[in-house]
């Protein structure tokens, strides 16, 4: 019985694509939009059911939409020139320098010396660090580029390796905590991601005025509760394999002392890393492009021989990440541009006419979050659907501030629902500590947790303070 199912599994995504493709195009959509959806949905489904890894699924998808004339090659391959996609890859290579130079080991020992009595303590140190630095980073991708080397150093410094079936669990636990933390800290601070100011402008069109202070007051209670419970929750659903380690801090401080002063490559890496961070923090006021700052940093690391082309060649996961992220980013953007996402939002909203405002509110927020399975960018969903959903909610009787804030916060915390749900995720995904299936499972469960916190605790709090 198992043998036929084994052979059927790889065929299922193709059957799904053909089935959707041949279904009559719904009224209100164009054939290219419907056909692109057929290919995109089958690519994501192939990963979810384990038919193919993400890279071949993405490459087959982009080949299919171009060869069938669904979208032009220029649009299909536009993701390879996208600044956010490039930033992810460069941040990953800069993290390589932090590890190779020995600076990562030093950072790891320092953090273990402070928080290493347990894996939970290490996770909380990562989450707290992210929450503190978040308001200074208008790009959560850039912030991920700062956190990732630290998480990678702590994981590898604790003896966790991605190629080890059991040993990778601590690294996987810390990686996912860092990834999920970015999504909630982006909801906590208005300036923590570029999608937030765009959403604020859309909300303003519905009479909801939001400033930095008001955002923080409204977000503080649900976001901080979600952040505080996050490491504990992830440890329950993905045990790190290591519990209490009371002797680890002492051993780490002893080894740190034995390392002595910083070496040449460590000094260079620390200086360049500081340059990149400052460029990202003050990029807006100095009119500096974040990706260009990252390129400059990588160039300096290569020029100073901290890392070389051989090091880059030995880390093929960076190229793998670049390929599938660029493809999915472009295809998701085209779904939005062809009107598919707006169509879905309007159709879903039309089914809830006549319900109580409370039920309308819950359904709209849940739908808005679940639709992110189809997006590879938070910003693109905000631009495509935020206004539509706020408008439907207000028409259904939901108080405007409640509807606006709930969807604005969701626009951040839903990013962890899939590995490609936000470009900042991909930096952590590329570490190899977690499988695609684990990432989708953890993403779903943690997103449901965030949704519950922001609905059950956030809703009354928003109504109270707005």
């Amino acid at each position: 019985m198992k043998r036929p199912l084994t052979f059927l599994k790889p065929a299922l995504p193709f059957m799904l694509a053909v089935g959707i493709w041949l279904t009559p195009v719904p009224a209100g959509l164009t054939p290219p939009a419907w056909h692109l959806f057929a290919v995109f949905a089958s690519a994501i489904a192939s990963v979810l059911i384990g038919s193919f890894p993400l890279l071949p699924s993405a490459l087959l998808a982009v080949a299919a939409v171009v060869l069938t004339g669904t979208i032009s090659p220029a649009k299909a391959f536009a993701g390879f020139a996208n600044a956010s996609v490039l930033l992810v890859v460069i941040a990953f290579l800069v993290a390589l320098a932090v590890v190779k130079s020995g600076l990562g080991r030093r950072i790891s020992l320092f953090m273990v010396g402070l928080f290493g009595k347990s894996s939970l303590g290490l996770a909380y140190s990562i989450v707290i660090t992210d929450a503190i630095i978040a308001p200074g980073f208008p790009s959560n991708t850039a912030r991920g580029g700062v956190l990732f080397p630290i998480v990678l150093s702590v994981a590898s410094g604790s003896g966790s390796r991605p190629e080890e079936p059991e040993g990778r669990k601590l690294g996987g636990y810390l990686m996912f905590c860092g990834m999920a933390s970015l999504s909630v800290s982006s909801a906590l601070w208005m300036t923590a991601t570029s999608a937030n100011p765009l959403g604020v402008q859309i909300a303003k069109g519905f009479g909801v005025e939001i400033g930095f202070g008001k955002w923080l007051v409204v977000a503080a209670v649900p976001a901080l509760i979600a952040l505080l419970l996050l490491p504990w929750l992830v440890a329950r659903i993905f045990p790190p394999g290591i519990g209490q380690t009371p002797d680890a801090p002492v051993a780490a401080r002893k080894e740190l002392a034995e390392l002595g002063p910083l070496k040449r490559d460590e000094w260079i890496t620390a200086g360049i890393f500081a340059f990149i961070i400052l460029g990202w923090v003050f990029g807006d006021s100095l009119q500096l492009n974040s990706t260009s700052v990252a390129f400059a940093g990588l160039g300096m690391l290569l020029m100073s021989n901290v890392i070389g082309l051989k090091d880059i060649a030995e880390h093929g996961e960076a190229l793998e990440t670049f390929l599938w992220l660029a493809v999915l980013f472009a295809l998701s953007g085209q779904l939005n541009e062809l009107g598919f996402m707006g169509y879905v939002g309007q159709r879903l909203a039309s089914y809830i006419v006549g319900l109580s405002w409370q039920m309308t509110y819950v359904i709209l927020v849940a739908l808005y979050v679940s639709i992110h399975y189809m997006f590879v960018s938070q910003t693109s969903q905000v631009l495509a659907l935020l206004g539509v959903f706020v408008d439907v909610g207000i028409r259904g009787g939901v108080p405007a501030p409640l509807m606006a804030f709930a969807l604005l916060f969701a626009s951040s915390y839903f990013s962890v629902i899939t590995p490609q749900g936000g470009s900042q995720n991909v930096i952590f995904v590329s570490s190899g500590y977690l499988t695609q299936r684990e990432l989708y499972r953890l993403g779903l469960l943690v997103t449901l947790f965030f949704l519950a916190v922001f609905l059950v605790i956030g809703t009354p709090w928003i109504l109270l303070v707005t």
Side-chain angles (χ1 to χ4, degrees):
M1 189 70 180
K2 291 183 179 179
R3 190 174 179 82
L5 290 175
T6 302
F7 282 105
L8 181 61
K9 199 173 185 180
L12 289 176
F14 297 99
M15 295 167 61
L16 176 64
V18 172
I20 298 175
W21 187 291
L22 296 178
T23 302
V25 179
L29 279 179
T30 62
W34 184 245
H35 295 160
L36 177 57
F37 166 68
V39 175
F40 189 91
S42 65
I44 298 300
S46 71
V47 179
L48 289 174
I49 63 177
S51 298
F52 302 104
L54 192 53
L55 178 59
S57 299
L59 295 181
L60 289 172
V62 74
V65 296
V66 172
L67 293 175
T68 57
T70 303
I71 58 176
S72 69
K75 292 181 177 179
F77 303 127
F80 290 97
N82 182 275
S84 295
V85 174
L86 292 170
L87 179 58
V88 168
V89 179
I90 300 304
F92 185 76
L93 295 176
V94 171
L96 168 63
V98 173
V99 174
K100 187 196 173 190
S101 67
L103 181 63
R105 175 67 176 164
R106 195 178 293 272
I107 294 172
S108 166
L109 292 171
F110 177 75
M111 290 192 65
V112 171
L114 289 177
F115 309 104
K117 290 184 177 180
S118 68
S119 55
L120 195 64
L122 291 172
Y124 272 110
S125 70
I126 292 165
V127 169
I128 293 170
T129 299
D130 173 43
I132 291 173
I133 67 175
F137 284 82
S139 165
N140 46 12
T141 304
R143 198 162 72 255
V146 174
L147 278 184
F148 176 71
I150 298 173
V151 179
L152 182 62
S153 300
V154 172
S156 58
S158 301
S160 180
R161 301 287 184 271
E163 64 273 9
E164 298 172 358
E166 288 299 316
R168 71 179 178 88
K169 289 185 176 180
L170 175 62
Y173 168 67
L174 295 177
M175 286 291 172
F176 193 84
C177 283
M179 193 171 92
S181 173
L182 285 166
S183 69
V184 186
S185 61
S186 294
L188 176 61
W189 303 98
M190 192 179 81
T191 56
T193 175
S194 57
N196 288 349
L198 291 174
V200 167
Q201 289 304 309
I202 293 172
K204 187 176 181 180
F206 294 92
V208 182
E209 297 281 349
I210 303 172
F212 182 90
K214 185 174 183 180
W215 178 296
L216 180 59
V217 169
V218 177
V221 170
L224 289 175
I225 289 175
L227 282 170
L228 288 173
L229 292 176
L230 175 64
W232 174 85
L233 174 71
V234 178
R236 302 282 79 75
I237 57 180
F238 189 82
I242 298 176
Q244 298 298 316
T245 53
D247 298 329
V250 177
R253 286 192 288 268
K254 180 181 178 181
E255 190 173 343
L256 184 61
E258 293 173 352
L259 286 179
L262 271 70
K263 310 300 187 293
R264 171 195 175 270
D265 283 3
E266 291 180 274
W267 276 114
I268 293 174
T269 303
I272 294 173
F273 197 44
F275 159 77
I276 293 173
I277 293 174
L278 291 173
W280 286 341
V281 171
F282 299 107
D284 283 354
S285 57
L286 297 176
Q287 296 184 334
L288 299 175
N289 177 268
S290 295
T291 306
S292 298
V293 170
F295 264 105
L298 179 60
M300 288 187 283
L301 288 168
L302 288 167
M303 185 177 64
S304 58
N305 292 318
V306 174
I307 57 173
L309 296 179
K310 183 179 179 181
D311 297 307
I312 295 176
E314 290 175 352
H315 286 74
E317 57 268 36
L319 175 60
E320 177 186 353
T321 300
F322 179 52
L323 290 172
W324 69 253
L325 178 60
V327 167
L328 293 184
F329 196 97
L331 297 188
S332 174
Q334 283 303 300
L335 275 175
N336 186 25
E337 189 173 310
L338 290 172
F340 181 83
M341 297 304 189
Y343 168 83
V344 171
Q346 291 173 341
R347 293 292 295 175
L348 290 173
S350 68
Y351 291 126
I352 59 177
V353 175
L355 299 177
S356 66
W357 75 259
Q358 293 89 347
M359 186 62 70
T360 297
Y361 163 72
V362 172
I363 292 175
L364 283 175
V365 176
L367 285 175
Y368 186 76
V369 170
S370 62
I371 286 175
H372 197 63
Y373 269 106
M374 300 300 296
F375 282 92
V376 185
S377 164
Q378 296 164 248
T379 302
S380 60
Q381 180 163 340
V382 168
L383 291 173
L385 295 179
L386 182 65
V388 174
F389 275 65
V390 172
D391 181 60
V392 173
I394 293 174
R395 291 175 183 271
V398 183
L402 174 63
M403 195 75 254
F405 273 113
L407 293 177
L408 284 169
F409 298 153
S411 298
S412 287
Y413 68 71
F414 66 20
S415 65
V416 79
I417 198 169
T418 67
Q420 67 276 4
S423 53
Q424 69 278 5
N425 295 357
V426 181
I427 307 173
F428 294 84
V429 172
S430 301
S431 68
Y433 277 98
L434 293 161
T435 66
Q436 290 289 333
R437 181 170 291 187
E438 288 168 343
L439 285 161
Y440 275 100
R441 173 178 167 269
L442 288 170
L444 172 62
L445 294 176
V446 171
T447 301
L448 288 174
F449 162 69
F450 289 158
L451 177 63
V453 170
F454 277 84
L455 283 178
V456 175
I457 297 174
T459 299
W461 177 250
I462 295 171
L463 289 172
L464 177 67
V465 297
T466 58

